[in-house]
Amino acid sequence: CIRDRPAAAPQLAASLELAAGEVLLEGDGAPRRLLSGTPLPEGAKLRTTEGARALIRLGDGARAYLDESTTVELREGLVLVEGRAWLDAPGLERGQTPASHRVGDADVALSDGGASLEFRDGEVRVYVADGLAIVSNDSGRTEAGAGERVTLSTNAAPTVEAVAFWDDWTGGMGDRSG
């Protein structure tokens, strides 16, 4: 009996550590509801519905916490298609470069820190709670440290401003003092 060889499995890019509410894997067919502990392939597109949240462990060890009504793709880094995500990036060994994540038309690199990434209505906002973020698009590049927010609109250079009070939508992940 000749058996068909199994198709090559896609490379795993991440794992879904926690799913609360409807966290959906979108693809060619109907969206499929995901459960906590699900491995996620490279190229996966996930969406949280209203009231849902998800915690993803990326391949480089970073964690991404997705807010409700958020859509992301898993590429070499996280691609925030729409919505809001918290990124908790690990430190790097000497000579390593931080993973690059895509938010709208901007690239965000973060090391040993935490940042809120948001993309809504064509505007990118990156609030850095800890660490250093490098944010760039075709119109420019900037760095932001703890307590600063970078804002970008399509085809506009990034601007940085100090933030006296940030509304921590993550429920405490933004408090990195402990």
Side-chain angles (χ1 to χ4, degrees):
C1 175
I2 298 176
R3 294 186 179 199
D4 290 334
R5 235 182 181 174
Q11 180 157 339
L12 296 179
S15 64
L16 181 62
E17 289 189 350
L18 175 68
E22 274 198 322
V23 179
L24 304 171
L25 177 65
E26 299 195 333
D28 296 332
R32 191 179 90 203
R33 188 169 184 189
L34 297 175
L35 301 175
S36 299
T38 303
L40 301 168
E42 179 92 20
K45 186 173 187 177
L46 280 72
R47 179 172 56 90
T48 56
T49 60
E50 188 173 332
R53 304 288 191 279
L55 181 62
I56 301 169
R57 171 81 58 186
L58 303 174
D60 67 351
R63 293 182 317 158
Y65 177 65
L66 309 184
D67 194 10
E68 66 180 345
S69 304
T70 294
T71 302
V72 298
E73 291 181 22
L74 303 174
R75 300 288 175 193
E76 287 185 27
L78 186 73
V79 177
L80 181 59
V81 177
E82 182 178 29
R84 191 163 56 176
W86 173 262
L87 182 64
D88 195 4
L92 301 172
E93 298 294 322
R94 177 175 225 124
Q96 283 185 306
T97 57
S100 183
H101 306 280
R102 191 85 176 154
V103 182
D105 71 343
D107 290 310
V108 178
L110 176 70
S111 174
D112 198 19
S116 176
L117 314 175
E118 187 171 357
F119 182 55
R120 296 186 199 277
D121 302 322
E123 186 175 76
V124 173
R125 287 181 289 283
V126 177
Y127 170 76
V128 181
D130 192 30
L132 177 72
I134 300 168
V135 182
S136 60
N137 66 4
D138 289 341
S139 299
R141 174 190 182 280
T142 192
E143 296 178 356
E148 294 181 320
R149 179 177 42 228
V150 178
T151 304
L152 303 100
S153 295
T154 305
N155 299 324
T159 59
V160 180
E161 64 181 327
V163 175
F165 174 78
W166 176 67
D167 185 13
D168 186 358
W169 63 269
T170 68
M173 289 181 149
D175 182 8
R176 297 179 49 92
S177 63

